[in-house]
Amino acid sequence: MKTARLGSFDVSVIGLGCNNLGRALDRSQSEVVVNAALDAGITYFDTASNYGEGQSESFLGGALGSRRDDVVISTKFGMPVPGWENSGGASPGYLRQAVERSLRELGTEHIDLLMIHFPDPKTPIGDTLLAMNELVEAGKVREVGCSNFNADQLRDAVTVSSDLGLTPIVCDQVHYSLMHRDPESDGTMETCHGLGIALLPYYPLGSGLLTGKARRGETPTGRLASKRYKDFLSDENFDLVESIETYASERGVSMVQVALGWLLSREDVPTVTAGATKPSQIESNVTAADWTPTAEDLEALEELLG
C-alpha cells in the first residue's frame, strides 16, 4: 500500500471510513472488516463520536486491540451522540468531555487526529482551538483538523490558530467526489492548497453510486436506500455513472479505481477513506492505489465530466 503525509503521520492512501461500524455492522462483523483492512495494508481509520449510532469508536478500538499503535486514528466531535443528552457543539467544556469519551471508546491513550465535525456558530473558533491545543499539550491528541469548513471558515480558523501560536490545523474534510466537485469551485480546494492543508474527501464513492452496483430504475440497496441519500439517485448522476462505467471499461479498470484514483490524483488529497461492509469491498477499494491515471486519462475524464 502506498503512503502519503497527513500532518506528522504517514498514512495509507486508501483509508477505512468507519460509519458502518455499529450502524450496518455489529461488533463481530466490524472486527472482520477492520481485520481485512489491516491485512490489506490500510493504516488510516476515520471515525467520529456519533458514527454508527455512537458505537463506531468502541467497535473500532475493540477490533484493533493490540494493533492500535500500528495505525492512525482520526475522530471527530461536535455532532449529537445517540444516547448522550445535550451532546454536540464545539464549546471547550463539551470538547473535553467528548475527547474523554472517545479515548474510552477507542481504548487508547491518545487520538492521532481530532477534527471539529462542523463549525459551531455558538462558539468562537478561538475558544475551541485553545481547548484542542490544551489537549495536544496534555498528550491526549496529536494533530487537529476541521471538517465541513468552507473556505472563509477555514481561513479564519487558520488565522486564529496562527495568531495564538497553537497546534497547526492539518486538514479539512469535505464532501468531494466525481459526482460532487464543489470544493473545486467554492474556494475550498484553493484555500487548502494555499494554506498547505490536506483536503480529505468524504462520500468519495457517492455513497455507493460510483461502484456501479446501483442501476437506473432499480430499487436501491444499502445506504442509497435511505431517504437521506435520495438526491444521489438523480438522472443526471446516473448519466454520469454510466459514462464513467464506459470510461473504466475502456481502460480495463473498475469504476472504484476511477473514482478513488481520480481523487488521489488531486495534489492536496493525501488519502481517501471509503466505507465497507465486507472484506470484498476492502479489496475493491485498495485496488484504487494500483491505478495511476495518466495526463491523457485525466484529460479524457474531464471531457467526460463536462
Side-chain angles (χ1 to χ4, degrees):
M1 173 72 72
K2 299 175 184 176
T3 62
R5 202 70 175 170
L6 174 57
S8 60
F9 301 111
D10 287 320
V11 299
S12 55
V13 296
I14 301 297
L16 179 65
C18 297
N19 201 3
N20 286 315
L21 277 58
R23 183 179 62 84
L25 304 175
D26 62 22
R27 187 176 290 274
S28 62
Q29 292 167 330
S30 297
E31 186 172 348
V32 170
V33 167
V34 171
N35 284 335
L38 291 167
D39 290 343
I42 289 176
T43 61
Y44 181 64
F45 294 79
D46 177 77
T47 185
S49 59
N50 66 302
Y51 279 5
E53 303 302 317
Q55 300 181 101
S56 175
E57 290 177 322
S58 173
F59 284 14
L60 174 61
L64 289 173
S66 62
R67 297 166 295 182
R68 185 269 173 270
D69 290 336
D70 297 333
V71 305
V72 174
I73 298 174
S74 70
T75 193
K76 297 173 283 291
F77 72 94
M79 292 290 286
V81 179
W84 183 355
E85 188 176 355
N86 298 321
S87 58
S91 69
Y94 174 68
L95 162 60
R96 296 184 185 101
Q97 294 179 59
V99 166
E100 291 300 328
R101 179 187 183 278
S102 290
L103 291 171
R104 289 195 304 272
E105 295 293 299
L106 288 165
T108 185
E109 295 181 352
H110 70 273
I111 294 165
D112 297 311
L113 171 58
L114 178 68
M115 287 183 257
I116 309 168
H117 210 154
F118 281 89
D120 179 5
K122 297 181 180 179
T123 305
I125 187 63
D127 292 356
T128 304
L129 293 174
L130 278 166
M132 294 175 81
N133 191 72
E134 291 172 4
L135 291 165
V136 172
E137 292 178 341
K140 296 181 179 182
V141 173
R142 298 282 174 83
E143 300 276 14
V144 302
C146 303
S147 178
N148 296 296
F149 276 48
N150 64 32
D152 289 339
Q153 292 164 336
L154 182 59
R155 278 192 295 268
D156 182 45
V158 170
T159 297
V160 171
S161 177
S162 177
D163 288 348
L164 294 176
L166 306 180
T167 303
I169 293 168
V170 302
C171 66
D172 190 11
Q173 187 178 47
V174 296
H175 187 183
Y176 186 37
S177 73
L178 281 170
M179 286 183 359
H180 185 92
R181 300 180 65 179
D182 287 3
E184 297 174 7
S185 59
D186 64 14
T188 304
M189 176 169 281
E190 181 181 0
T191 300
C192 285
H193 183 74
L195 295 172
I197 287 174
L199 189 153
L200 304 179
Y202 67 78
Y203 294 157
L205 293 174
S207 289
L209 196 59
L210 288 170
T211 65
K213 294 179 181 178
R215 296 293 177 179
R216 193 193 305 263
E218 295 182 358
T219 301
T221 59
R223 179 180 289 183
L224 288 170
S226 169
K227 291 181 179 180
R228 178 181 175 185
Y229 301 98
K230 64 180 180 179
D231 290 343
F232 283 85
L233 304 174
S234 66
D235 284 334
E236 181 181 3
N237 280 344
F238 275 115
D239 289 343
L240 177 61
V241 166
E242 290 161 7
S243 296
I244 293 173
E245 185 173 30
T246 299
Y247 173 94
S249 178
E250 291 172 349
R251 286 158 179 78
V253 296
S254 69
M255 287 184 64
V256 170
Q257 284 178 295
V258 172
L260 301 187
W262 175 79
L263 284 169
L264 288 172
S265 74
R266 309 291 93 177
E267 183 178 358
D268 302 297
V269 176
T271 183
V272 177
T273 56
T277 57
K278 57 186 72 172
S280 60
Q281 292 174 345
I282 296 285
E283 295 170 8
S284 176
N285 292 344
V286 299
T287 61
D290 299 328
W291 183 64
T292 302
T294 65
E296 291 76 13
D297 289 329
L298 294 174
E299 183 179 356
L301 190 53
E302 288 297 333
E303 290 180 4
L304 179 153
L305 297 172

